[in-house]
Amino acid sequence: MPTHQLDYFASLVSEDEHLPLTEAAIAIAQHAYPDLVVQHVMDEIDALAEKLKQRVNKEMSGLQKLQILKQFFYKELGFGPNRNDYYDPDNSYIQSVLASRRGIPISLALLLMELGHHIELPIKGVSFPNHFMIRLSLPQGEVIIDPLTGTSLSKQELQEMLDPYLDAQGYRGEYQLPLAAFLRTASAREILSRYLRNLKAIYSQQERWERLLGIQQRLVILLPDAVEEIRDRGLALAQLDYIRPAVDDMRRYIDEVPDASDFEEIQAQLIELEQRLRQIEINRPPLGPLAIQDQRQLLHPLKPLHQSRVLRPSLRIARQHLVHIGVRHPLRAPNHPAREPLR
């Protein structure tokens, strides 16, 4: 994985106050498309924004600008959900969404927020459970919009979408939270974390560990205090046979969270990996200077992970932690009823 791409992403997300959300979201795709030039994608969005700006003037109200934006985005440009392949990772990558005009709620929302910014329409992201939303404050009141379709949602519709989540989480009775608690504006860091976790769910479900590792590296950068993301990076590293860094990550997790509910499972996995690492060290022939530079050669086990007895617990733990099981609702991809909804 090119280190300069991770360094670039780290520089973008280093400060909350000046975090460039759109640029950082585009940069995420560099793990899958290493030749991607972020500025070229930004230029493409700017070109669309110039066309949009020709349709508005300073005398227009916020509601008029919103109507023009929706007409431009959904009707003229044809953006919408990818109903044929909702779980294609490209639905999350901005450069691919621009090319195909197909995305998921959060990727379409990011484009709407960026275009809105160009016409002085302050659209905000809302990390609503299981379905990312956007909101806009107008003199007429707060407007909550489904970015898949541009439809404005009533309080009743939002409550109906929220109820399955409340039931699943046990937020009922004295623990019930009001609808307003789920409609607050999300920060740029919160949006990016949700964005990355959608991709994390896809790649872990598909067992594409190399791609998953690229996402986990960015999650650890974005959320440096989230030790569970370090754990999950270790699980991905283990699947790729990077034994030593996997051990380091999992050791850090159990050291920092000794009361974790999965402590015994992770510890058992860690013990097996440490045993294999010792076996590698014992049986490894002396390495020359060039071989020492190759971490994969240095860490690769004598028996591949997918053939070893550590496979079953490893995959079980990986799926338990790496695939977030969400609550389905009627708007979730009808062509894939058994899979985790993208948000």
Side-chain angles (χ1 to χ4, degrees):
M1 182 181 302
T3 304
H4 69 275
Q5 292 178 355
L6 292 177
D7 291 342
Y8 171 51
F9 183 75
S11 70
L12 293 176
V13 303
S14 61
E15 297 182 4
D16 287 330
E17 186 177 359
H18 303 292
L19 199 162
L21 175 59
T22 303
E23 184 178 357
I26 295 169
I28 288 171
Q30 288 184 320
H31 86 102
Y33 297 92
D35 296 328
L36 178 69
V37 180
V38 173
Q39 187 57 52
H40 290 174
V41 185
M42 295 290 293
D43 291 343
E44 188 174 352
I45 297 174
D46 288 344
L48 293 178
E50 285 302 315
K51 292 181 181 180
L52 175 62
K53 287 161 70 174
Q54 295 173 8
R55 293 163 167 77
V56 302
N57 58 59
K58 293 182 178 179
E59 286 71 37
M60 286 183 176
S61 67
L63 182 58
Q64 288 175 312
K65 289 181 179 180
L66 176 61
Q67 291 170 339
I68 290 172
L69 172 60
K70 288 165 64 173
Q71 173 69 24
F72 178 71
F73 190 77
Y74 296 105
K75 300 297 184 182
E76 295 184 37
L77 299 180
F79 281 99
N82 185 349
R83 300 189 186 281
N84 294 324
D85 193 359
Y86 196 81
Y87 293 90
D88 183 348
D90 278 343
N91 295 333
S92 294
Y93 297 131
I94 298 298
Q95 85 284 357
S96 298
V97 175
L98 287 168
S100 68
R101 300 294 197 257
R102 293 293 176 263
I104 58 174
I106 197 166
S107 59
L108 296 176
L110 282 167
L111 287 172
L112 285 164
M113 292 163 64
E114 181 65 23
L115 291 172
H117 171 75
H118 283 269
I119 58 171
E120 299 181 357
L121 202 59
I123 298 172
K124 305 297 183 181
V126 176
S127 197
F128 194 78
N130 299 317
H131 196 102
F132 197 86
M133 301 288 185
I134 54 176
R135 68 181 295 169
L136 178 64
S137 297
L138 297 173
Q140 295 87 345
E142 292 289 324
V143 182
I144 305 296
I145 299 171
D146 179 354
L148 280 182
T149 62
T151 304
S152 299
L153 299 172
S154 67
K155 288 184 178 180
Q156 181 178 347
E157 289 171 320
L158 289 165
Q159 189 64 55
E160 289 174 356
M161 294 175 66
L162 180 63
D163 283 342
Y165 173 81
L166 295 176
D167 291 337
Q169 299 296 320
Y171 294 150
R172 290 300 192 183
E174 62 179 312
Y175 300 106
Q176 182 161 346
L177 297 174
L179 175 63
F182 298 94
L183 296 178
R184 69 174 183 83
T185 298
S187 69
R189 194 171 299 274
E190 289 171 336
I191 293 172
L192 287 174
S193 66
R194 182 160 177 166
Y195 193 94
L196 284 164
R197 283 167 175 161
N198 276 336
L199 287 164
K200 176 178 180 175
I202 293 173
Y203 288 131
S204 56
Q205 181 71 33
Q206 296 175 352
E207 298 180 16
R208 298 176 69 180
W209 306 118
E210 197 77 53
R211 288 284 181 92
L212 177 61
L213 179 58
I215 295 300
Q216 277 305 133
Q217 294 279 33
R218 286 159 176 81
L219 274 167
V220 171
I221 291 170
L222 181 69
L223 306 171
D225 296 326
V227 69
E228 69 275 7
E229 298 299 349
I230 295 172
R231 172 201 64 198
D232 291 352
R233 182 178 64 181
L235 290 167
L237 287 163
Q239 291 296 337
L240 290 165
D241 297 346
Y242 290 109
I243 306 302
R244 191 185 302 281
V247 166
D248 291 343
D249 278 354
M250 295 165 72
R251 169 61 62 188
R252 178 175 170 184
Y253 174 70
I254 65 172
D255 285 348
E256 293 192 17
V257 195
D259 58 346
S261 60
D262 59 352
F263 179 89
E264 292 184 359
E265 287 182 297
I266 298 298
Q267 186 178 49
Q269 175 81 340
L270 177 60
I271 290 171
E272 290 203 49
L273 290 173
E274 289 176 333
Q275 290 173 345
R276 294 175 60 207
L277 185 59
R278 285 193 292 271
Q279 184 182 8
I280 294 168
E281 296 293 337
I282 292 172
N283 291 280
R284 187 184 68 231
L287 298 177
L290 293 178
I292 290 176
Q293 296 175 18
D294 187 347
Q295 184 189 51
R296 186 67 180 264
Q297 181 176 347
L298 179 66
L299 299 175
H300 200 286
L302 300 177
K303 182 164 34 170
L305 183 63
H306 62 272
Q307 296 176 359
S308 79
R309 64 187 180 88
V310 79
L311 167 70
R312 296 187 65 84
S314 176
L315 284 180
R316 175 169 53 80
I317 295 170
R319 289 197 177 107
Q320 175 186 344
H321 294 298
L322 299 182
V323 184
H324 169 69
I325 303 301
V327 181
R328 292 184 53 78
H329 59 72
L331 294 182
R332 297 278 61 119
N335 294 332
H336 303 277
R339 298 185 64 179
E340 155 69 359
L342 300 183
R343 310 171 291 171

